[in-house]
């Protein structure tokens, strides 16, 4: 069953060989979908005959957003913490413990319903691929069940047993690292693709992070790192050294950190929702882009520091607060996210790519930043099926 979408005012392909500039922009464009794949891209006047046809009526189309960093398996609410922070209390990682207690007390059904809700919410806003993590269980059983729940909703599942040291190991952090790299990893590795660690003051230092990421890599999981969010530290350079897929946050960077990212293939994933929600300093995306670093944008959707599932909101923040152009922000939210997940089948629209498309109620992708907060997503296709 082939479907033609024609009369697209501006099509973002993210393939410069297909159109103008780094986004490969095609005007008066058309796309043909066959099954779950894109099979043809060109202008409307050259479009072939297909089984069905949709007239975009002068709207823009872009690849589905790729949200490569979220924390959706949780229970409870941290409204009081957010409210207090807005009254002046500084953010620290300690609030995670509140969510750990609520998540441990929740049933599997409650956790599953929550993940279903947040992934559906993200889909309505154009996110067709989402990564999510464990990290709010911090026992062998709770981390394993978090990953099983996550895997019902996405293929991009990350083991984050090393989120913080739980209260019961407060006096024995080495013992908790041994648990994460031993029995917990044994239980969790079969359900995950990635291994992550919060390498930050108040969480895990460089040596602990190296031990955890190396153990995960030895079990076939690819490293990712929460790095340099709250201050300078070893996380970014450790991520590059271990060939991690991404170093996430990247707020406080030295010149050596930027040079390391520019010289490796680790993606710098920026999470402006966290800075918005914590009134913190935003990452300097301009500095990274000018150095030739691959940049991704993601929501960091979590109950404490960034409770948003909206990639359009993060695009607007990146343009307003982080020195990115609209083109760069859209690329980071699509192709950049795909690079952070080491995927070549998503984040771009070209023949052979998975047919993940977003139709905007606007003539250009620039409207995502130009009209912040406006619900511009009119339709979404995921793997060729219209799901919104």
């Amino acid at each position: 069953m082939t479907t033609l979408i024609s009369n697209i005012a501006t099509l973002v392909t993210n393939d410069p060989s297909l159109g103008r500039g780094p986004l490969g922009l095609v005007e008066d464009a058309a796309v043909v979908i066959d099954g779950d794949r894109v099979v043809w891209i060109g202008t409307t006047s050259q479009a072939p005959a297909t089984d069905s046809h949709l007239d975009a009526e002068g709207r823009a189309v872009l690849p589905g957003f790729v949200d490569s960093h979220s924390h959706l398996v949780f229970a409870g609410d941290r409204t009081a913490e957010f409210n207090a922070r807005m009254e002046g209390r500084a953010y620290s990682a300690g609030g995670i413990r509140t969510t750990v207690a609520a998540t441990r007390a929740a049933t599997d059904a409650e956790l599953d319903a929550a993940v279903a809700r947040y992934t559906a919410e993200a889909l309505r806003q154009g996110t067709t691929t989402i990564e999510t993590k464990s990290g709010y269980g911090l026992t062998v059983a709770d981390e394993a069940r978090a990953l099983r729940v996550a895997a019902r909703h996405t293929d991009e599942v990350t083991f984050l047993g090393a989120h913080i040291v739980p209260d019961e190991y407060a006096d024995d952090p080495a013992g908790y690292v041994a648990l994460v790299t031993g029995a917990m990893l044994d239980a969790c590795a079969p359900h995950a693709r990635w291994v992550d660690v919060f390498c930050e003051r108040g969480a895990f230092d460089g040596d602990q992070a190296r031990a955890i990421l190396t153990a995960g890599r030895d079990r076939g999981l690819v490293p990712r790192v929460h790095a340099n969010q709250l201050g300078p530290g070893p996380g970014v350079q450790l991520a590059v050294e271990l060939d991690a897929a991404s170093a996430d946050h990247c707020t406080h960077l030295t010149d050596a950190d930027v040079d390391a990212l520019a010289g490796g293939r680790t993606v710098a994933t920026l999470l402006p929702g966290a800075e918005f929600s914590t009134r913190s300093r935003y990452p300097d995306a301009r500095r990274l882009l000018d150095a030739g670093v691959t940049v991704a944008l993601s929501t960091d959707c979590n109950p404490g520091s960034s409770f948003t599932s909206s990639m359009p909101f993060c695009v607007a923040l990146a343009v307003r607060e982080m020195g990115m152009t609209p083109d760069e922000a859209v690329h980071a939210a699509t192709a950049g996210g795909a690079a952070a997940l080491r995927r070549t089948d998503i984040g771009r629209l070209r023949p052979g790519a998975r047919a993940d498309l977003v139709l905007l109620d606007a003539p250009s992708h620039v409207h995502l930043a130009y009209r912040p907060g406006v619900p511009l997503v009119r339709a979404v296709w995921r793997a060729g099926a219209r799901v919104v």
Side-chain angles (χ1 to χ4, degrees):
M1 183 75 176
T2 55
T3 300
L4 168 68
I5 306 171
S6 66
N7 292 323
I8 301 167
T10 307
L11 174 68
V12 175
T13 68
N14 285 332
D15 187 336
S17 71
L18 294 176
R20 176 171 52 85
L23 293 188
L25 299 175
V26 182
E27 282 80 25
D28 188 23
V31 176
V32 175
I33 300 169
D34 187 356
D36 66 350
R37 298 286 148 176
V38 173
V39 295
W40 184 88
I41 285 175
T43 61
T44 294
S45 62
Q46 299 172 324
T50 56
D51 298 315
S52 62
H53 174 222
L54 174 72
D55 188 340
E57 298 179 337
R59 297 180 176 90
V61 170
L62 63 155
F65 295 120
V66 181
D67 189 348
S68 60
H69 183 126
S70 76
H71 304 250
L72 303 183
V73 189
F74 68 88
D77 180 274
R78 283 159 67 182
T79 303
E81 175 190 322
F82 174 81
N83 197 49
R85 194 161 61 237
M86 294 304 101
E87 293 174 350
R89 187 171 71 191
Y91 171 70
S92 71
I96 293 169
R97 290 180 173 83
T98 303
T99 302
V100 169
T103 302
R104 288 177 176 180
T107 66
D108 288 10
E110 288 169 337
L111 294 177
D112 188 79
V115 178
R117 171 190 170 190
Y118 300 128
T119 54
E121 186 178 273
L123 183 63
R124 290 195 299 271
Q125 298 173 89
T127 297
T128 51
T129 301
I130 193 165
E131 178 270 2
T132 200
K133 311 174 191 296
S134 64
Y136 292 124
L138 309 186
T139 68
V140 172
D142 284 308
E143 285 295 292
R145 75 162 177 154
L147 295 174
R148 289 195 299 269
V149 168
R152 296 177 195 139
H153 302 275
T154 179
D155 294 332
E156 301 295 347
V157 177
T158 301
F159 168 48
L160 183 60
H163 202 177
I164 59 167
V165 176
D167 288 341
E168 58 267 32
Y169 281 89
D171 296 327
D172 186 18
Y176 186 66
V177 171
L179 179 70
V180 171
T181 57
M184 189 180 288
L185 180 60
D186 290 341
C188 291
H191 308 293
R193 181 183 179 200
W194 311 97
V195 59
D196 198 347
V197 61
F198 192 12
C199 184
E200 197 68 64
R201 68 174 185 266
F204 297 88
D205 65 24
D207 290 340
Q208 292 168 329
R210 182 190 303 279
I212 292 161
L213 295 171
T214 301
R217 190 177 61 181
D218 290 345
R219 291 295 303 272
L221 305 182
V222 181
R224 323 180 68 78
V225 184
H226 282 61
N228 300 58
Q229 176 188 6
L230 305 179
V236 164
Q237 294 193 49
L238 178 62
V240 175
E241 177 192 333
L242 296 180
D243 193 30
S246 66
D248 298 22
H249 288 288
C250 294
T251 308
H252 299 271
L253 300 181
T254 65
D255 289 343
D257 294 331
V258 175
D259 289 344
L261 287 165
R265 63 172 185 158
T266 298
V267 174
T269 299
L270 309 183
L271 311 168
E275 280 71 38
F276 176 87
S277 183
T278 60
R279 287 182 175 164
S280 301
R281 164 184 153 188
Y282 284 89
D284 186 351
R286 183 81 270 134
R287 181 185 180 196
L288 291 164
L289 291 164
D290 288 348
V293 177
T294 300
V295 170
L297 281 178
S298 291
T299 64
D300 191 21
C301 186
N302 75 82
S305 61
S306 184
F307 201 7
T308 180
S309 57
S310 175
M311 289 290 280
F313 174 64
C314 292
V315 167
L317 281 181
V319 173
R320 172 63 181 84
E321 302 289 351
M322 301 198 314
M324 301 181 85
T325 67
D327 283 11
E328 289 168 339
V330 167
H331 188 273
T334 53
L341 295 176
R342 294 193 170 164
R343 297 276 296 272
T344 59
D345 59 327
I346 57 176
R348 291 175 172 79
L349 295 177
R350 59 190 178 191
R354 198 172 80 172
D356 293 351
L357 300 85
V358 175
L359 177 70
L360 297 181
D361 207 358
S364 167
H365 61 283
V366 177
H367 281 235
L368 291 165
Y370 179 45
R371 303 197 68 205
V374 177
L376 294 177
V377 174
R378 185 179 181 90
V380 179
W381 288 259
R382 184 171 58 190
R386 185 169 178 173
V387 289
V388 174

